Amino acid sequence: MGGRLDGRVALVTGAGSGIGAASAGALAAEGAAVAVTDIDAEAAHAVATGIVEAGGRALGLRLDVSAEADWIGAVSAVEAEFGPVTVLHGNAALTSPEAYAADLGVIDLEMAVLDRVLAVNLRGGVLACKHVLPGMLAAGGGSIVLTSSVKALTGSAHRTAYSVSKGGLDALTRVVATGYGKGGVRCNAIAPGIVATEATASIPAVQLRALEAAHLTPSLGSPADIAHTVVFLASDEAAFITGQVLCVDGGLIAHTAALSPPGSRGEE
């Protein structure tokens, strides 16, 4: 039995670790040839090597998603190796503890911080779409999946730049879906809740427990949870889904906080 993505060529950004690495592996397991890209070239190559050793097809590339020249080179390299990109998972974002710490409320936010976050998170998404769309259209269609965030859908007292950048990706999702749908291209976004990755390892344990309690599921999400959704949206099973922001958030924004957690003795 073939995979759901046999014959597809996928490009995943921010794929050197976390959600991106899980997505690259899941796409390859379903038959896609995968370009594993990351600003950390060594990490990208390591993930690609793992895919190849598991019997898949993969290419590791360094890619600074904010640099258009990098996009031109990366797409050219992928097309030469595998053919046109027909699946894009735009996942790269600034998620380091240092980036989070500097991303403050509007009054205190330094514009240099805003510019850098927008350059990676939002400009990177625009450049991704700009440079894979011609190949997708020539191939008769494709699927674009952007990693947004519940931060784009809810208010927050801090992380202004991150929230704004992800809101921009939601708008980009609808723009691309509208402009290129008749050419066979679907574009959707995934808004994850808190996913246990290297980025969450720096969150203090007390805060992490509070975040876990805010989800309706027994635990936080895993990179695999998001990767499975990417595969679904990339596949023909999602052929009638486009222009959507799909929350994969363990119910995080489906409710308001209760005085007692569900299932506790204090619940009425």
Side-chain angles (χ1 to χ4, degrees):
M1 181 181 295
R4 287 183 285 172
L5 301 176
D6 283 351
R8 316 288 172 89
V9 176
L11 187 153
V12 184
T13 67
S17 62
I19 290 172
S23 173
L27 291 165
E30 287 292 343
V34 182
V36 180
T37 75
D38 199 282
I39 196 167
D40 183 339
E42 185 175 342
H45 287 299
V47 172
T49 297
I51 290 172
V52 171
E53 290 176 347
R57 293 188 298 156
L59 172 68
L61 294 170
R62 183 190 183 278
L63 173 61
D64 177 351
V65 296
S66 69
E68 187 160 21
D70 277 23
W71 273 106
I72 294 170
V75 170
S76 177
V78 176
E79 289 179 344
E81 184 75 16
F82 297 130
V85 174
T86 52
V87 175
L88 167 70
H89 180 197
N91 174 72
L94 283 180
T95 58
S96 68
E98 296 77 19
Y100 283 171
D103 194 357
L104 306 173
V106 173
I107 292 175
D108 299 313
L109 181 66
E110 295 290 339
M111 290 300 98
V113 173
L114 174 66
D115 291 345
R116 180 56 181 154
V117 172
L118 292 178
V120 175
N121 298 9
L122 182 53
R123 174 184 166 91
V126 174
L127 285 172
C129 294
K130 175 181 179 179
H131 288 283
V132 303
L133 274 167
M136 284 188 179
L137 293 168
S143 176
I144 294 173
V145 182
L146 302 175
T147 300
S148 181
S149 171
V150 293
K151 284 284 187 181
L153 302 170
T154 60
S156 178
H158 54 91
R159 292 188 64 189
T160 301
Y162 185 88
S163 299
V164 169
S165 71
K166 294 299 187 176
L169 285 181
D170 290 357
L172 176 64
T173 296
R174 293 184 286 269
V175 167
V176 172
T178 302
Y180 303 98
K182 293 301 185 183
V185 175
R186 295 182 296 105
C187 186
N188 295 286
I190 297 172
I194 308 300
V195 176
T197 65
E198 293 88 340
T200 60
S202 63
I203 299 176
V206 172
Q207 184 180 354
L208 200 59
R209 286 195 296 270
L211 290 170
E212 185 174 300
H215 290 68
L216 301 182
T217 48
S219 61
L220 298 178
S222 71
D225 292 322
I226 310 304
H228 293 322
T229 310
V230 173
V231 169
F232 166 68
L233 289 173
S235 75
D236 292 340
E237 295 169 7
F240 202 52
I241 303 174
T242 193
Q244 304 303 308
V245 179
L246 180 59
C247 290
V248 185
D249 68 345
L252 178 61
I253 65 171
H255 70 115
T256 55
L259 293 177
S260 301
S264 72
R265 295 182 64 181
E267 184 180 29
E268 295 183 359

